Amino acid sequence: LAKTTQPISMDSYEGQEVNITCSHNNIATNDYITWYQQFPSQGPRFIIQGYKTKVTNEVASLFIPADRKSSTLSLPRVSLSDTAVYYCLVGENNFNKFYFGSGTKLNVKP
Amino acid sequence: DSGVTQTPKHLITATGQRVTLRCSPRSGDLSVYWYQQSLDQGLQFLIQYYNGEERAKGNILERFSAQQFPDLHSELNLSSLELGDSALYFCASSVGTLQDEQFFGPGTRLTVL
């Protein structure tokens, strides 16, 4: 049973804002939502984490609606170096398991 | 550099063999996680150890086992290897709790021929 659902791929152009949405209908009360970035043949790298409403750091924003059944990662003004796979992760505290989504392959074009 | 080290970087072996992958977490991190990533696939969580004890278990095969030693380094043992076990194996570490930011190592690429 898939824990999270993301679009398989997205295309964008340099300078645009990119929004990637992750669906997590069965999120538990204690779960946080975390996003990771992965370049080919490298380990994933933490981008941002949130529990509710909005979180912003120096590289991204994370929007979480009140029902927490989805979340949206927002990347402002992407560049070619943002071409990567983006994973949404929701921890399942009750069963001590992690679920990485299938990942969204973002392709930024010049 | 995440501070997490993994050895070896590459490993080529034959079906039926057994291999051991090693991971050293960041200084101060108590949790170690193992993930498998097959070609063009997402990350599959295998297992987590916290301060020497198994804390969480994912889709880990019975042919695979892991342990975390008193110095907090961890080893993932893969036995009776099959062609389908060829993948990138990542180790990650975090301070402790499930929701903590995980720092990933560079991975070990296993090729089973």
Side-chain angles (χ1 to χ4, degrees):
Chain A
L1 181 64
K3 181 69 170 178
T4 62
T5 304
Q6 303 174 234
I8 294 174
S9 64
M10 294 180 70
D11 288 333
S12 181
Y13 290 93
E14 280 191 294
Q16 288 188 331
E17 178 185 76
V18 171
N19 295 310
I20 306 174
T21 297
C22 178
S23 172
H24 28 79
N25 291 321
N26 297 321
I27 189 168
T29 303
N30 295 332
D31 286 343
Y32 278 74
I33 300 146
T34 312
W35 286 80
Y36 285 81
Q37 176 192 56
Q38 186 181 26
F39 298 110
S41 297
Q42 293 185 25
R45 186 178 67 174
F46 173 91
I47 301 174
I48 197 167
Q49 183 182 72
Y51 183 79
K52 62 180 179 181
T53 62
K54 177 183 173 183
V55 179
T56 297
N57 62 22
E58 62 275 8
V59 298
S61 294
L62 180 60
F63 298 91
I64 304 169
D67 66 6
R68 305 201 327 122
K69 293 184 184 297
S70 67
S71 59
T72 299
L73 173 73
S74 181
L75 305 172
R77 297 179 298 281
V78 294
S79 64
L80 295 177
S81 63
D82 292 318
T83 294
V85 178
Y86 292 82
Y87 289 97
C88 168
L89 170 64
V90 176
E92 188 172 338
N93 281 315
N94 288 341
F95 300 99
N96 280 341
K97 289 185 179 181
F98 288 105
Y99 294 92
F100 272 83
S102 54
T104 298
K105 185 174 285 189
L106 174 64
N107 183 30
V108 180
K109 304 175 184 177
Chain B
D1 185 1
S2 67
V4 178
T5 60
Q6 290 187 249
T7 57
K9 199 167 185 177
H10 301 277
L11 196 50
I12 301 174
T13 187
T15 55
Q17 295 298 305
R18 172 190 170 96
V19 297
T20 297
L21 312 183
R22 182 188 169 103
C23 168
S24 292
R26 288 188 326 153
S27 176
D29 284 356
L30 298 179
S31 273
V32 169
Y33 312 79
W34 286 98
Y35 293 86
Q36 179 193 55
Q37 187 170 40
S38 302
L39 190 64
D40 292 332
Q41 299 287 313
L43 283 156
Q44 294 289 326
F45 168 65
L46 296 178
I47 199 164
Q48 177 205 4
Y49 278 83
Y50 174 79
N51 204 21
E53 294 189 1
E54 182 183 305
R55 178 61 64 93
K57 209 165 187 175
N59 300 318
I60 187 167
L61 300 172
E62 285 191 11
R63 301 183 285 109
F64 296 179
S65 65
Q67 55 184 328
Q68 187 179 28
F69 295 87
D71 67 353
L72 300 178
H73 90 271
S74 177
E75 292 181 356
L76 179 67
N77 300 298
L78 315 176
S79 61
S80 303
L81 285 168
E82 302 175 359
L83 296 178
D85 297 328
S86 294
L88 258 174
Y89 290 84
F90 288 106
C91 167
S93 73
S94 74
V95 172
T97 66
L98 279 172
Q99 312 275 19
D100 285 340
E101 175 182 350
Q102 296 179 43
F103 295 85
F104 282 77
T108 293
R109 183 173 293 281
L110 172 66
T111 302
V112 182
L113 301 176

